[in-house]
Amino acid sequence: MSGLDDSRLRRVAEAFHGEGQITGITPLGSGNVNDTYLVESGGSLSVLQRINTAVFTQPELVMHNLQQLSQHMQEKLQRKPPALHNRRWEHPRLICTQSSDQSWHCCEAGGFWRSLSFITQAESVDVIQTADQARELGSGLGLFHALISDLPVDSLADTLEGFHITPLYLEAYRNALASGARQGSDASRFCMAFIHEREGLVPLLEEAKQRGELPLRPIHGDPKINNVMLDRSSGRAVALIDLDTVKPGLVHYDIGDCLRSCCNRLGEETTALDAVRFDLDLAQAILEGYLAEAGGLLTPLELQLIPDAARLISFELGLRFFTDHLNGNVYFKAQHPEHNLQRALVQFRLTASIEAQMEPLRRLVQRLTPAQAAAPRRAAT
Ligand code: GN1
Ligand code: MG
């Protein structure tokens, strides 16, 4: 966790909420990078987070992006766009420290902290339960994309260089291999062969971006299943959380991450490797929800590359987990030494399952986007 004892943690929370005001602090969620706590103060709840500065080396830039996003969302919500008629939608609010109007706190015992309002009467799930839920998860991401589509990308900093740039993850993997560590097991050999066979896929999105065929857009960066909050009574998506990776990027990083994390019914922490599948029915529900909100914003090529994105982002996450395993678990928190290897195997099984269903997945996207179905395929292979 944070490495801070209870009284220091309380002092950090007091920096945001006032001395003597804290009535409860409990660990929250299952994030792999930051430390997160639910704080109760003065009868209300907030989310206190320590940003992992080994990952986000310039946390002030993360806060800059959060502020830009907050302001944009606030203005949007005030104007009540048609997409929000008859539906609840919220955006986590940044909480300033008591002593300044600054939205972060650097603690003398270590750490860069910030506090956000908690989305009440809502919950998130780690594994999908129903197709209706899948539709809402897609709809939540689509709505988020629609709401931020006119946030200028040049107002957002690049807070995590190389994030989702698959060729750079391949390079990092090769560097890790060169160190020669932790490659001896059958599972490691499986991963190495799996990666080797797919090296040709790696540059697909980045090359299309370089050729100017795919636009940079403001994206969430990490819209995995449990970062979409669902209203407790209606089940409808009400907010996207975990906004540290909001920055310019390809819409495919988000759609791919949503599909890979939602369509694996066992979740990314499963150990039942042989049962890992990409569920096409869930993909259909997600894409119906997504496209109803954001389909009109995307170009024909963006739409056509959705199946490729699902495959690539699953593969990329497997590559990232495996590289971290080789490096000794320095990036993703791990509960045991083989944890990131296990996670990599799950993502690779999922990738293989997507590959086995590429044609039906392409037909599905074409069916859901009839106006674009006739447009020529360019970058997809
Ligand atoms: C990390 O920390 P968390 O769980 O929100 C990672 C994502 C991965 C995810 C996999 C900044 O997100 O890219 O998809 O783990 N975040 C970062 O669970 O690397
Ligand atoms: Mg995250």
Side-chain angles (χ1 to χ4, degrees), residues 31-33 56 160 163 222 224 242 260 268 320 331-332:
N32 292 329
V33 172
F56 297 100
L160 195 49
F163 192 51
D222 186 16
K224 64 178 178 182
D242 191 13
R260 70 131 201 105
E268 65 187 54
R320 294 172 63 198
Y331 186 99
F332 296 104

Side-chain angles (χ1 to χ4, degrees), residues 35-243:
D35 298 314
T36 308
Y37 299 88
L38 183 64
V39 172
E40 201 183 324
S41 61
S44 67
L45 295 170
S46 55
V47 178
L48 180 66
Q49 277 189 309
R50 178 158 84 160
I51 296 186
N52 181 336
T53 48
V55 170
F56 297 100
T57 53
Q58 292 179 279
E60 294 85 356
L61 291 186
V62 172
M63 298 311 293
H64 166 84
N65 284 2
L66 273 185
Q67 272 147 5
Q68 297 291 109
L69 177 68
S70 258
Q71 199 179 331
H72 178 86
M73 276 290 189
Q74 227 173 337
E75 285 166 17
K76 276 273 142 125
L77 298 188
Q78 268 162 13
R79 271 187 263 134
K80 297 195 173 41
L84 294 182
H85 280 166
N86 296 324
R87 84 176 283 164
R88 174 184 171 205
W89 187 261
E90 292 185 26
H91 188 73
R93 195 171 32 81
L94 281 167
I95 297 168
C96 289
T97 61
Q98 294 278 307
S99 60
S100 70
D101 59 357
Q102 190 169 274
S103 55
W104 70 85
H105 171 71
C106 288
C107 142
E108 72 285 359
F112 187 103
W113 297 80
R114 58 101 197 284
S115 177
L116 291 157
S117 61
F118 181 71
I119 309 289
T120 56
Q121 298 305 317
E123 61 192 351
S124 66
V125 291
D126 288 332
V127 285
I128 215 146
Q129 286 136 4
T130 63
D132 283 346
Q133 212 171 49
R135 193 166 285 102
E136 270 312 304
L137 291 162
S139 157
L141 179 61
L143 197 46
F144 184 82
H145 278 173
L147 290 169
I148 63 171
S149 62
D150 55 347
L151 173 62
V153 279
D154 54 16
S155 70
L156 297 174
D158 188 354
T159 46
L160 195 49
E161 263 180 55
F163 192 51
H164 290 309
I165 312 291
T166 323
L168 295 180
Y169 292 118
L170 185 64
E171 203 178 304
Y173 160 70
R174 288 184 177 138
N175 292 337
L177 272 189
S179 76
R182 314 190 80 192
Q183 297 167 25
S185 69
D186 284 352
S188 283
R189 276 193 291 274
F190 169 85
C191 290
M192 285 152 61
F194 194 90
I195 294 165
H196 184 67
E197 285 159 17
R198 285 158 186 81
E199 288 186 0
L201 292 178
V202 163
L204 178 76
L205 293 176
E206 295 314 310
E207 285 183 358
K209 184 172 88 182
Q210 303 288 316
R211 290 194 296 268
E213 294 173 358
L214 297 174
L216 273 184
R217 298 182 185 276
I219 60 158
H220 181 285
D222 186 16
K224 64 178 178 182
I225 181 165
N226 55 17
N227 283 336
V228 182
M229 300 300 290
L230 302 167
D231 184 274
R232 268 188 208 283
S233 49
S234 69
R236 301 206 70 186
V238 290
L240 258 67
I241 56 167
D242 191 13
L243 304 164

